[in-house]
Amino acid sequence: MSGGRSEGRGNGLRDIVRAEWAKVLTLPAARWALASVPLLGVAFGVMVAAGQAGDEPDGAPDDELARMHPLFPSLLSLTLAQLGLVVFGVLAAGGEFRGGLLRASLLAVPRRGRFFAGKALAAAVPAAAVSLVTVAATYGVTRAVLGERASGLREHGTIWALAGAWLYLTLITLISLGAAMVLRGSARALGLLLPLLFLSSQGLGNVPVLRSVLQFFPDQAGLVLMRLVAQSGAERFTRDYGPGTAVLLLLAWSAAVLAAGCAVLRRHEA
């Protein structure tokens, strides 16, 4: 009887989450990754907004970029700030494969599905908090820089775009965590995710021959949620779906990658 109690002690989901918090948040690299998110969001947001504010109001260039959503200068920097969350998510899972740490973790929590759920929750909570601060701060500061050109909270679906940005940043953290578990290490996961997210967001998703496929990747769904795509009339920068479908895509990607990560963990030789 006492042995049964001993086996279950500390294996509750809340205990696992606390242990995972202690594990990942003591990593200097993970703390720096989280700290970089609002810094990058605000700093680059100010740069983009300042450039936009300095344009002549009567310039009206006929380039496709001129048709971008009014939130473009306020939230574009989040496509760079997300990289800090990607690193954090990868470290939260990939660190288990260094120095036999995973073996010790599974000895402490033999139920691998519960262990993985606790790890995902432990990463999601700080990621959600940092994402909320980053989105609010970036929008607030860039709105001050843009002045009259800024998109108000009641205009252009701004509130929904801000909520979508928060959701995307939180889910991309979980996708990164799942990918690190699937690839069994931080280096391999970062080697895949950073070029994929950076290059896709920064241009490849707008190449006509690639857009038909890449537009359904998670980072492209995030662009739709944040209204960082062109309005009607700019074919190269539009997507074939709206924010509702973007949410479903992100949820599907998150569920699929996390399920794959959990499956790899269940089969991993401890």
Side-chain angles (χ1 to χ4, degrees), residues 33-82:
L34 283 179
S36 72
V37 179
L39 293 177
L40 288 173
V42 171
F44 283 90
V46 168
M47 291 174 58
V48 175
Q52 183 81 9
D55 291 341
E56 289 295 329
D58 298 328
D62 55 2
D63 187 84
E64 285 182 306
L65 285 173
R67 303 188 188 91
M68 300 305 281
H69 195 278
L71 277 170
F72 184 83
S74 296
L75 299 183
L76 176 65
S77 64
L78 297 182
T79 63
L80 180 62
Q82 70 172 323

Side-chain angles (χ1 to χ4, degrees), residues 196-227:
L196 181 65
L197 291 172
F198 186 76
L199 291 175
S200 182
S201 293
Q202 300 302 318
L204 290 182
N206 299 317
V207 177
V209 70
L210 300 175
R211 186 174 67 89
S212 59
V213 174
L214 291 182
Q215 67 173 327
F216 297 107
F217 277 33
D219 64 310
Q220 297 296 307
L223 296 182
V224 174
L225 275 183
M226 292 185 282
R227 311 311 200 260

Side-chain angles (χ1 to χ4, degrees), residues 9-35:
R9 187 175 300 150
N11 283 343
L13 190 58
R14 182 180 300 179
D15 296 322
I16 297 171
V17 170
R18 287 175 178 170
E20 291 302 313
W21 274 339
K23 191 187 299 180
V24 70
L25 294 179
T26 54
L27 292 174
R31 294 199 302 271
W32 277 108
L34 283 179

